[in-house]
């Protein structure tokens, strides 16, 4: 048996040789110096492209902040004191700068509050933000001509679920979710249960993924209803004396969207009965249209509990409901024509319907979609749209040009098609721009008919990514390259600022230069940010993109980092970091992604911190190749083939094959345990936040489509828990005690620890109090780095020959 140490200790006492620590430990000073470097500011660009906000955020919260009270309800994590998310964003600084350059103008923020990210008005003349205090969540606004934040008086936002605040199309009023007036005190837990918790199924198959934080009993359901119920309202007028127009009655609003003309609101609200098996996103819901004056206009759909959705299927009834951005108040949505079941053979899987708000809403079929509907983008002229579909059997995506009105309906024209995993053949994605209403459309390239538009892509090649900007002509169906990332750097167009594409916002970085933003007008350029290197000692590290072939001929690639003090010809230990990815073909699996010219940023509990300790670091692609239905049939064999090929190749660059440690997070942790169980390539392993017994995720996992009962032998072969007795190399397991990720319950690590320990393996389990699937508290991150470095130092760097 093991016992969890108290008083802030986050590691388990498993033996006298457990590093002897008490409390949170700190990593080596070289790591701490990099860890505590301030984060560079993020950019928030105004919709008109005239201004930017430089947003400075706190990089790591304290363990006290992470340990704040939290309710875990229906897939949500709510702070009961604030009626908002348990861990809100914390902006620490804001400053305004013109897109053409100039000195940043700082903006004074409210004191003693956690400030959220800015939300621009559609006209770019003002922005709003949320301020979380102990008393609740406030709304503040700022006009650019005054550059002074003002609190909207008498407003307390409900940010537990849905979109708590957004601008209306007029750019002056805001659509908000308020804590209902006079709602009273929160439900108190009963002294004794009122009865058993009962669930029942009627005999129809209802597979469900393994979710966490579900409702457990009637008291949880009452808390969910209490904290998530909000009053939808439109706020206008002055901040000192705002006018508040309520929309309908209080409800559990999970989404709302103003129509382009601002006269109507599309509103999603959760209905009863709630589920104990599913998150709120699957609960019954009503999709309704309200007038901006506050009264209900009509119902688009009343959708039942989504508990019968097939694996990789979609629910029946209207879905992906949205406003057509170029029309005043017209809706468009998709509906499954195959009962949402991807295994059914039908000529068309989906159909698109349109309707106009203003009275009873009746859908009119616009067009049928052969494969699963995968998205839609509208052109600004209002008559055309790009429609995407996806064939899951082939992992194949297509983009069509289609009419967006039934009157002009014609056969859709195929523009692009490819395997979604074919990075080399990716034509790019359409560049979008925001209309004055706040809705987005495709950015056309200036011709009156709107026949040309911009495409932006990664530009993947066998030598790495080289981002591009193209102008695509719908008449000729050919692309003209306007911009291509130069060699030796990594540079991408972040925003196209005019119709000709000559004015752009560019983000540039290189191996030696941190990311910075530049305004470019033709050949003239102006620096907008001046970010400096937070870890100059790491710039001496050498980074290169390496390719090789595994035994079956499949090409794999990895980024190899050599430490700053590396002397050519010496053999050094290595940290092997990876994450398996499924591919339908060896051709797509062999493609190289990423760039050797990107700046190496080292933050959080990154594996790259091993560079400060004299290790090489290998970031390895781990392709699992095969038909989607059966790719996992030889999962372990392919893992081993990838690892062997990468290690053999890395040995040519100075890696000591006898001193390699393997590590991974989530599915990478699952991979790590499998490699230790089924290979002898590694001296030790580090597995963070993983799942190890696949019978505990019986309705599929990752991209596995079969249930446990359809492929029990595969679930067993892939589960390292079943092979725990084979794990003889030391294994460090780390897990957040409050992990919310589907399938990776902390019990997965607890039981795997018991299995390895019980069969004689060397194993250590570290449970991090209050931490999620990823770890955020500064103390937790420091301790994870301490554990990782100490583990590999003992069992890899100083491994006995």
């Amino acid at each position: 048996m093991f016992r969890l140490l108290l008083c802030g200790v986050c590691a388990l006492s498993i033996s006298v040789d457990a590093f002897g620590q008490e409390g949170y430990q700190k990593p080596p000073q070289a790591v701490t110096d990099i860890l505590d470097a301030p984060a560079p500011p993020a950019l928030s660009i105004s919709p008109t492209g005239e201004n930017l906000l430089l947003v400075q955020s706190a990089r790591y919260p304290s363990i006290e902040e992470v340990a704040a009270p939290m309710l875990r309800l229906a897939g949500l994590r709510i702070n009961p004191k604030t009626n908002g998310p348990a861990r809100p964003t914390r902006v620490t600084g804001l400053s305004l700068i013109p897109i053409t350059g100039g000195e940043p103008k700082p903006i004074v923020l409210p004191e003693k509050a956690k400030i959220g990210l800015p939300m621009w008005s559609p006209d770019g003349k003002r922005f709003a933000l949320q301020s979380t205090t102990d008393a609740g969540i406030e709304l503040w606004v700022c006009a650019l001509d005054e550059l002074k934040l003002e609190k909207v008086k008498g407003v307390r936002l409900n940010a537990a679920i849905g979109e708590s605040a957004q601008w209306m199309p007029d750019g002056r009023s805001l659509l908000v979710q308020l804590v209902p007036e006079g709602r009273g005190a929160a439900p108190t837990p009963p002294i004794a249960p009122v009865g058993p918790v009962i669930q029942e199924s009627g005999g129809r198959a209802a597979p469900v993924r393994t979710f966490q934080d579900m409702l457990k009993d009637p008291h949880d359901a009452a808390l969910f209803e209490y904290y998530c119920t909000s009053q939808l309202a439109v706020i206008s007028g002055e901040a000192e004396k705002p006018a508040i127009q309520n929309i309908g009655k209080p409800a559990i609003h999970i989404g709302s969207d103003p129509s382009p003309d601002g006269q109507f609101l599309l509103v999603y609200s959760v209905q009863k009965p709630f589920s104990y098996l599913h998150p709120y996103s699957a609960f019954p819901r009503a999709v309704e249209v309200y007038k901006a004056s506050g009264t209900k206009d009509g119902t688009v759909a009343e959708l039942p509990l989504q508990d019968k959705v097939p694996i990789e299927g979609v629910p029946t009834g209207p879905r992906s409901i949205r406003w057509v951005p170029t029309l005043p108040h017209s809706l468009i949505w998709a509906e499954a024509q195959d009962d949402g079941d991807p295994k059914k053979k039908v000529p068309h899987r989906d159909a698109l319907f349109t309707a106009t708000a203003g009275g009873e809403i009746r859908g009119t079929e616009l067009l049928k979609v052969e494969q699963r509907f995968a998205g839609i983008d509208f052109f600004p002229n209002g008559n055309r749209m790009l429609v995407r579909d996806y064939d899951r059997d082939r992992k194949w995506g297509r983009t069509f040009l289609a009419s967006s009105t039934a009157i002009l309906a014609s056969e859709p024209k195929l523009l692009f098609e490819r395997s979604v995993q074919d990075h080399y053949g990716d034509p790019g994605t359409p560049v979008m721009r925001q209309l004055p209403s706040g809705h987005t459309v495709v950015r056309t390239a200036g011709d009156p008919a709107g026949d040309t538009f911009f495409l932006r892509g990664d530009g993947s090649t066998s030598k790495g990514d080289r981002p591009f900007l193209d102008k695509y002509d719908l008449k000729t169906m050919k692309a003209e390259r306007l911009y291509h990332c130069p060699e030796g750097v990594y540079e991408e167009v972040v925003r196209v600022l005019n119709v000709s594409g000559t004015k752009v916002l560019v983000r540039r970085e290189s191996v030696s230069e941190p990311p910075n933003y530049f305004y470019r007008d033709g050949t003239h350029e102006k620096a907008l940010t001046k970010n400096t290197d937070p870890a100059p000692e790491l710039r001496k590290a050498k980074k290169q993109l390496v390719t090789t072939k595994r035994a079956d001929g499949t090409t794999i690639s990895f980024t190899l980092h050599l430490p700053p003090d590396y002397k050519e010809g010496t053999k050094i230990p290595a940290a092997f970091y990876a994450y398996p990815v499924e591919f339908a073909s060896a051709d797509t699996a062999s493609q190289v992604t990423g760039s050797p010219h990107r700046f190496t940023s080292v933050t959080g509990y990154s594996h790259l911190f091993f560079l400060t300790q004299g290790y090489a670091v290998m970031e390895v692609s781990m392709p699992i190749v095969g038909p989607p239905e059966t790719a996992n049939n030889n999962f372990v064999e392919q893992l081993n083939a990838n690892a062997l090929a990468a290690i053999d190749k890395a040995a040519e660059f100075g890696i000591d094959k006898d001193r390699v440690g393997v590590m991974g997070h989530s599915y990478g942790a699952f991979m790590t345990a499998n490699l230790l169980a089924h290979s002898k390539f590694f001296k030790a392993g580090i597995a963070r936040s993983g799942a190890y017994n696949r019978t505990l995720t019986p309705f599929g996992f990752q991209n596995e489509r079969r249930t446990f009962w359809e492929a029990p032998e595969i679930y067993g072969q892939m589960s390292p828990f079943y092979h725990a007795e084979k794990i003889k190399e030391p294994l460090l397991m780390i897990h957040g005690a409050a992990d919310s990720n589907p399938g990776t319950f902390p019990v997965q690590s607890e039981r795997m620890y018991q299995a390895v320990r019980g069969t004689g393996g060397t194993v250590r389990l570290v449970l991090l109090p209050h931490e999620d699937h990823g770890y955020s508290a500064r103390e937790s991150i420091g301790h994870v780095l301490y554990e990782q470095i100490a583990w590999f130092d003992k069992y890899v760097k100083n491994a006995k020959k």
Side-chain angles (χ1 to χ4, degrees):
M1 295 293 291
F2 62 87
R3 60 187 181 88
L4 184 62
L5 299 181
L6 302 178
C7 302
V9 179
C10 65
L12 293 176
S13 177
I14 56 178
S15 74
V16 295
D17 188 22
F19 302 107
Q21 81 270 10
E22 291 185 359
Y24 290 100
Q25 299 298 301
K26 296 180 179 180
Q29 191 61 45
V31 173
T32 299
D33 291 344
I34 297 172
L35 195 62
D36 291 339
L43 261 63
S44 177
I45 310 168
S46 70
T48 59
E50 297 175 284
N51 294 288
L52 338 144
L53 284 169
L54 300 180
V55 184
Q56 194 73 49
S57 300
R59 180 164 267 175
Y60 311 113
S62 68
I63 190 63
E64 286 81 7
E65 292 177 88
V66 171
M70 175 175 64
L71 298 173
R72 300 163 66 167
L73 304 168
L76 296 170
R77 294 190 164 185
I78 302 168
N79 185 329
K81 289 181 64 177
T82 64
N83 217 116
R87 296 169 188 173
T89 303
R90 188 173 181 181
V91 171
T92 57
L94 277 180
S95 53
L96 181 74
I97 183 171
I99 196 84
T100 53
E103 285 300 314
K105 297 178 181 179
I107 300 167
V108 178
L109 299 178
E111 295 182 355
K112 297 180 181 180
K114 295 180 176 68
I115 308 302
L117 296 173
M119 300 171 283
W120 286 100
S121 62
D123 58 11
K125 294 181 178 180
R126 52 190 61 81
F127 65 89
L129 53 78
Q130 297 177 177
S131 173
T132 301
T133 70
D134 288 342
I137 302 175
E138 303 167 344
L139 180 65
W140 292 66
V141 294
C142 179
L144 296 197
D145 54 1
E146 296 181 4
L147 218 59
K148 180 182 177 182
L149 278 164
E150 293 183 282
K151 179 181 174 181
V152 181
K153 295 292 182 65
V155 169
R156 185 184 175 198
L157 298 177
N158 186 330
I161 193 173
E163 192 162 3
S164 54
Q166 58 185 303
W167 289 95
M168 291 290 286
D170 63 8
R172 301 192 64 85
S173 54
L174 287 140
L175 177 62
V176 299
Q177 294 178 175
L178 303 175
V179 173
E181 284 192 36
R183 70 173 178 178
T188 56
I191 297 174
V194 296
V197 176
I198 299 171
Q199 301 181 58
E200 183 177 356
S201 178
R204 182 181 171 186
V208 58
R209 295 287 192 178
T210 312
F211 298 110
Q212 302 197 50
D213 295 349
M214 299 299 95
L215 301 178
K216 299 184 293 295
D217 52 39
H219 178 61
D220 268 6
L223 289 172
F224 171 75
E225 186 172 14
Y226 176 85
Y227 285 105
C228 293
T229 296
S230 65
Q231 174 63 62
L232 205 62
V234 175
I235 295 179
S236 57
E238 299 300 319
E240 283 289 327
K241 295 184 67 176
I244 300 178
Q245 173 64 63
N246 288 343
I247 307 296
K249 297 179 180 180
I252 302 175
H253 297 112
I254 58 173
S256 54
D257 186 23
S259 62
D261 64 1
Q263 299 302 306
F264 297 91
L265 304 169
L266 180 64
V267 178
Y268 291 79
S269 58
V270 162
Q271 309 289 299
K272 291 182 178 179
F274 304 148
S275 169
Y276 290 169
L277 284 178
H278 297 266
Y280 77 88
S281 58
F283 287 4
R285 69 183 62 183
V287 186
E288 300 166 316
V289 172
Y290 281 80
K291 295 178 181 177
S293 59
T295 59
K296 182 178 174 180
D297 181 69
T299 298
V300 182
E302 292 183 347
L303 304 172
L305 175 67
Q306 296 176 16
D307 63 338
K308 303 293 193 297
V309 179
I311 293 175
E312 293 193 344
V314 297
T316 56
R319 72 180 199 280
S320 302
I321 307 166
R322 57 173 290 187
W323 296 108
V324 177
T326 54
L327 297 175
H329 45 257
S330 291
L331 294 163
I332 189 167
W333 65 83
E335 290 191 37
Q337 306 296 292
D338 58 359
D339 296 323
D341 187 348
K343 294 184 178 179
K344 282 194 173 181
K345 303 298 182 184
V346 294
H348 298 94
R349 295 210 172 274
D350 276 317
L352 297 183
F353 293 82
T354 60
T356 301
E360 186 178 354
I361 297 173
R362 294 181 176 178
T364 300
E365 185 177 307
L366 178 62
L367 63 89
K368 281 187 163 53
V369 183
E370 182 182 359
Q371 300 297 336
R372 185 66 68 212
F373 171 70
I376 189 170
D377 294 316
F378 291 88
F379 282 81
N381 62 16
N383 296 325
R384 293 182 295 186
M385 58 187 180
L386 298 175
V387 179
R388 296 180 294 279
D389 72 1
Y390 173 67
D391 180 354
R392 73 150 200 163
D393 293 332
R394 300 172 59 205
K395 292 183 180 283
W396 197 262
R398 301 184 296 180
T399 301
F400 296 87
L401 179 68
S403 171
S404 58
T405 61
I407 296 175
L408 300 175
S410 59
E411 189 68 22
K413 180 181 179 181
L414 178 63
L415 299 182
F416 314 117
E417 64 173 328
R418 67 181 179 93
S419 164
V420 296
Q421 296 177 322
D422 176 14
H423 299 285
Y424 294 174
D426 185 0
T429 56
V431 174
M432 307 298 288
R433 69 177 178 90
Q434 198 172 93
L435 295 173
S437 66
H439 295 77
T440 58
V441 294
V442 173
R443 180 176 273 283
T444 51
D447 61 292
D451 286 327
T452 54
F453 65 98
F454 296 105
L455 290 167
R456 179 172 51 199
D458 291 334
S460 297
T461 72
S462 59
K463 295 182 180 180
D465 291 351
R466 291 182 61 195
F468 65 83
L469 178 70
D470 282 356
K471 183 169 70 173
Y472 186 84
D473 192 316
L474 290 169
K475 289 182 177 179
T476 64
M477 297 180 66
K478 293 182 179 180
E480 174 190 353
R481 185 133 299 177
L482 303 180
Y483 165 82
H484 201 190
C485 171
E487 293 187 358
V489 299
Y490 184 86
E491 189 175 278
E492 60 182 335
V493 173
V494 175
R495 177 73 68 89
V496 178
L497 300 171
N498 64 351
V499 295
S500 62
T502 56
K503 296 181 180 181
V504 293
L505 181 66
V506 170
R507 181 180 184 273
R508 181 191 306 142
E509 61 186 286
S510 70
V511 172
S512 59
E513 298 177 356
N516 274 295
Y517 291 86
F518 301 84
Y519 169 73
R520 184 177 295 164
D521 183 354
T523 59
H524 301 287
E525 188 174 86
K526 176 77 172 179
L528 301 176
T529 59
K530 300 176 182 178
N531 298 327
T532 57
D533 189 348
E537 61 275 21
L538 284 183
R539 284 329 114 207
K540 296 177 183 178
K542 183 180 179 182
K543 179 169 73 170
Q544 55 192 312
L545 188 63
V546 180
T547 59
T548 187
K549 291 183 183 292
R550 67 188 196 188
D552 64 0
T554 301
T555 298
I556 64 169
S557 61
F558 60 93
T559 299
L560 176 64
H561 303 261
L562 295 172
D565 57 354
Y566 176 69
K567 295 180 180 178
E568 193 168 347
T570 59
K571 293 293 184 181
I572 58 173
F576 181 111
Y577 184 85
Y579 190 94
V581 178
E582 295 86 354
F583 291 89
S585 72
D587 288 341
T588 54
S590 297
Q591 292 184 357
V592 174
T593 58
S595 170
H597 305 300
R598 301 203 70 165
F599 185 78
T600 301
S601 296
V602 188
T603 60
Y605 40 90
S606 171
H607 50 281
L608 292 174
F609 277 109
F610 277 105
L611 290 170
T612 68
Q613 306 302 305
Y615 291 80
V617 175
M618 301 169 62
E619 296 174 314
V620 187
S621 68
M622 297 289 276
I624 306 300
V625 183
E629 290 289 348
T630 58
N632 282 332
N633 285 6
N634 55 358
F635 176 83
V636 169
E637 292 82 359
Q638 293 199 58
L639 284 185
N640 288 348
N642 293 327
L644 178 60
I647 292 171
D648 281 347
K649 186 65 176 180
E652 299 175 14
F653 298 89
I655 302 304
D656 186 345
K657 291 174 60 174
D658 294 325
R659 290 189 296 160
V660 180
V662 61
M663 61 187 300
H665 192 93
S666 193
Y667 205 51
F670 173 71
M671 170 208 73
T672 295
N674 265 306
L675 284 168
L676 291 187
H678 300 290
S679 77
K680 298 298 180 184
F681 308 140
F682 304 100
K683 285 296 183 181
I686 299 172
R688 300 188 310 241
S689 298
Y692 309 99
N693 184 347
R694 284 305 170 191
T695 67
L696 299 180
T697 55
F699 291 104
F701 55 89
Q702 206 72 4
N703 289 316
E704 176 55 59
R705 299 173 176 176
R706 296 165 293 187
T707 69
F708 167 76
W709 298 274
E710 292 172 317
E713 66 287 348
I714 300 302
Y715 276 65
Q717 290 170 14
M718 292 182 68
S719 295
F721 179 83
Y722 279 36
H723 309 280
E725 82 285 358
K726 301 175 185 176
I727 298 178
K728 298 307 179 186
E729 288 75 23
L731 173 62
L732 169 64
M733 304 172 70
I734 302 173
H735 213 123
D739 193 335
S740 64
N741 185 59
T744 55
F745 292 86
V747 71
Q748 287 270 6
S749 287
E750 293 169 343
R751 299 310 299 165
M752 187 66 184
Y753 165 76
Q754 291 282 13
V756 177
R757 179 181 183 273
T759 55
T762 299
V763 62
R764 178 179 176 85
L765 173 59
V766 178
L767 287 176
L768 301 170
H770 307 291
E771 292 291 356
D772 205 327
H773 190 61
Y775 323 132
S776 58
R778 175 62 181 81
E779 293 85 346
S780 299
I781 289 170
H783 190 90
V784 169
L785 291 169
Y786 162 81
E787 292 277 357
Q788 292 182 160
I789 291 169
W791 194 258
F792 273 8
D793 276 358
K794 181 175 182 179
Y795 294 113
V796 177
K797 180 187 285 186
N798 299 309
K800 296 178 182 178
K801 296 290 185 178

